[in-house]
Amino acid sequence: RSEVPGMAAHTIWRSLLRAYAPACTARAWASSLPKHKVVGMPSLSPTMSHGTIVKWLKGEGDKIEAGEALAEIETDKSTLTLDATTGGFLAKVLVEDGTTDVEVKKPIAVIVKKSGDVGAFSDYVAESSVDGNSSTAPSSDTATSSAPTPTGSASAIPQAATGGQPPKRTHLSPAVARILAESGLDLDAVHATGPRGHVLKGDVLRALAGAAPAASRVSEVRTGAAKESEAHSSSSGTVHTPAAGRRERKTENIPVSNIRKIIAKRLQESKSTVAHHYVSAHCPMDKLVALRSRIKAENGKAPSVNDFIVRAAALALQTEPLLNALDGQVDISVAVATEGGLITPIVKRANALSAEGVSAAMKDLVSRARENRLSPEEFNGGSFTISNLGMFGISHFSAIINPPQSCILAVGGLEKTLTGGESTGGEESAATRVESVTQFTLSCDQEKVGAEEASRFLRVFTSLLGEAPESLL
């Protein structure tokens, strides 16, 4: 009363009641619900911050047993199943199939103990996150109808936004205000994601990208430009007609998978924060090719060239432990291309496996990686990474380090080159011949691995692979 001169006490109380009545009603409504558990988006990998609901495996009203799969979740690495931690009935699905960029801990479903309680959650709306302080609220109709609309001085108090979204702030940053003014976009068409309902620049840009009015405005601008050009041509006596057979280009927007978004983010962070330096070496591959041919003729199958590379790298890492991110254990991550993006399954304790053992492990890991059936411990971690683009016809490339690892080895393809001994009297030696070689480029973190250690590693590695491949069996 002392802070608002001239305003009666009953007026202040009336304003406060009008402002907070919806929230009080929501709390009373939530407390009257049957006992239930709100399921939040889980963190299925150490680096996961957002996920995608690929598909719900249970529908509303279905019975659930503890440990039973509820949904398929696409993480930053792979697609995994979300298992129920308790039995009961699925009362409400809060996030539909195909929803992307769902924050970890955001409520995605509700489970109840009794089948008769399912109907009580038909209009359930969850707010905040599942962290022990989460709150529930009714649908927007229930919340807003519990109190009359404030008038007078109380009208300055923001109303509850529909869908559980905090009210948008009328105070906008200069960048947001400028974009709204230039585009003509209505503020009500923007979904605010900032703290306490603040509209961010990214919110406006996303609204513009998906807004039909924006497209129509662009069309109007283009039409106006075309009319102006036509008028100019008419005044000059020149008539322009479209080129014969010219067709309008059709575009298709292909959504970026969550895995590709995370890969791009991680690689950008690595390239901008890790001091990369590179060393390269050529390795003769004729002996290895001949060894594989002999093994295949005898057994009908043979380890791939990449299997021998993994084995050689594991043994070379034992001689240069600074390049290995783990102490005493060599776990080789191997880059594998999948439909959703790149994933790096790990060959555990590769230094203790033969080339045949590496081959068996790789076939199993690659098969399950392309079917999105890897568990998190099978692709998270690793002490050294190998990326092979040789089978795609790439002669050489430089790969980006995957922190906290210190190195990544880039493998090129087989190339024919002319080699020979020293010339004598201006004539070439009889030892001149055509040889198959592969270029290996090692990317290193300058803070952890120097050029000397990297060079020693490549010397041991190419010696094992090119000169003594039998030792890898």
Side-chain angles (χ1 to χ4, degrees):
R1 187 173 177 179
S2 60
E3 295 177 0
V4 189
M7 182 178 290
H10 68 275
T11 303
I12 298 176
W13 282 113
R14 185 185 302 118
S15 300
L16 291 174
L17 285 173
R18 287 174 177 173
Y20 291 103
C24 296
T25 305
R27 283 193 290 270
W29 179 86
S31 62
S32 65
L33 286 172
K35 187 176 180 180
H36 63 281
K37 177 179 180 181
V38 179
V39 180
M41 171 62 80
S43 179
L44 298 176
S45 73
T47 57
M48 177 179 171
S49 59
H50 293 75
T52 297
I53 306 291
V54 178
K55 179 173 64 176
W56 282 99
L57 304 177
K58 293 288 185 180
E60 292 182 359
D62 289 353
K63 186 177 181 180
I64 301 167
E65 300 292 342
E68 195 172 5
L70 284 178
E72 292 182 355
I73 308 291
E74 182 183 282
T75 71
D76 56 339
K77 300 286 188 180
S78 181
T79 300
L80 305 171
T81 57
L82 168 62
D83 297 333
T85 58
T86 183
F89 295 85
L90 183 58
K92 182 70 174 178
V93 171
L94 301 173
V95 180
E96 298 298 328
D97 292 354
T99 305
T100 61
D101 292 331
V102 182
E103 293 184 7
V104 169
K105 295 186 178 182
K106 179 178 179 179
I108 60 174
V110 178
I111 296 176
V112 295
K113 285 291 184 183
K114 301 176 182 178
S115 61
D117 296 336
V118 172
F121 293 86
S122 58
D123 296 326
Y124 181 86
V125 177
E127 294 181 356
S128 185
S129 61
V130 183
D131 56 2
N133 297 320
S134 60
S135 58
T136 56
S139 62
S140 58
D141 294 338
T142 306
T144 54
S145 63
S146 60
T149 304
T151 57
S153 61
S155 62
I157 301 176
Q159 298 296 307
T162 60
Q165 181 185 353
K168 293 174 188 164
R169 296 300 181 97
T170 56
H171 176 72
L172 304 174
S173 68
V176 170
R178 178 177 57 81
I179 296 174
L180 289 173
E182 292 178 354
S183 64
L185 182 66
D186 187 358
L187 181 61
D188 292 335
V190 181
H191 177 74
T193 62
R196 297 181 298 280
H198 278 293
V199 178
L200 306 180
K201 180 179 178 182
D203 300 334
V204 180
L205 295 178
R206 279 190 293 272
L208 286 174
S216 63
R217 284 194 298 274
V218 173
S219 176
E220 291 172 3
V221 172
R222 290 178 177 173
T223 303
K227 289 181 179 178
E228 183 179 349
S229 175
E230 183 179 348
H232 176 73
S233 300
S234 299
S235 63
S236 62
T238 305
V239 178
H240 295 283
T241 58
R246 179 179 295 175
R247 297 179 181 178
E248 291 186 3
R249 291 187 300 173
K250 295 182 178 180
T251 60
E252 179 184 1
N253 292 328
I254 301 175
V256 180
S257 69
N258 192 49
I259 294 177
R260 291 188 183 275
K261 289 180 182 178
I262 297 298
I263 290 172
K265 181 180 178 181
R266 299 273 185 257
L267 293 182
Q268 183 184 29
E269 290 175 353
S270 173
K271 194 64 177 175
S272 59
T273 60
V274 177
H276 286 60
H277 72 101
Y278 311 93
V279 290
S280 300
H282 289 85
C283 177
M285 303 292 282
D286 288 328
K287 290 184 178 180
L288 177 59
V289 172
L291 175 63
R292 288 191 68 250
S293 299
R294 188 170 71 250
I295 295 174
K296 191 171 184 178
E298 295 173 355
N299 304 327
K301 61 180 182 179
S304 68
V305 171
N306 204 57
D307 297 332
F308 280 98
I309 291 172
V310 172
R311 169 68 172 157
L315 295 180
L317 284 171
Q318 290 183 307
T319 67
E320 293 297 331
L322 276 181
L323 280 70
N324 191 49
L326 297 176
D327 186 16
Q329 181 173 325
V330 180
D331 292 346
I332 304 290
S333 302
V334 182
V336 174
T338 67
E339 187 176 347
L342 198 67
I343 192 169
T344 52
I346 302 170
V347 181
K348 301 281 188 178
R349 295 179 174 83
N351 55 314
L353 299 176
S354 63
E356 290 86 350
V358 171
S359 179
M362 282 300 304
K363 286 178 181 177
D364 175 59
L365 289 168
V366 171
S367 173
R368 290 191 291 116
R370 288 175 176 161
E371 296 173 0
N372 289 321
R373 292 192 296 110
L374 290 178
S375 58
E377 61 270 13
E378 290 178 309
F379 56 80
N380 286 320
S383 60
F384 186 90
T385 298
I386 295 175
S387 180
N388 189 345
L389 294 180
M391 67 281 288
F392 299 107
I394 303 301
S395 59
H396 66 276
F397 69 103
S398 300
I400 301 176
I401 299 169
N402 182 25
Q405 295 181 12
S406 305
C407 303
I408 181 170
L409 182 65
V411 183
L414 282 173
E415 291 188 319
K416 300 291 186 180
T417 184
L418 190 64
T419 62
E422 297 179 356
S423 60
T424 305
E427 297 182 359
E428 292 183 349
S429 167
T432 301
R433 67 187 186 280
V434 175
E435 187 177 55
S436 297
V437 298
T438 293
Q439 179 171 330
F440 295 91
T441 302
L442 184 66
S443 305
C444 304
D445 183 349
Q446 180 66 64
E447 186 178 1
K448 302 174 183 177
V449 179
E452 183 178 355
E453 292 85 6
S455 300
R456 287 201 301 262
F457 167 83
L458 280 182
R459 185 164 59 246
V460 174
F461 170 77
T462 54
S463 176
L464 288 169
L465 196 64
E467 302 300 330
E470 294 85 359
S471 64
L472 303 175
L473 293 173

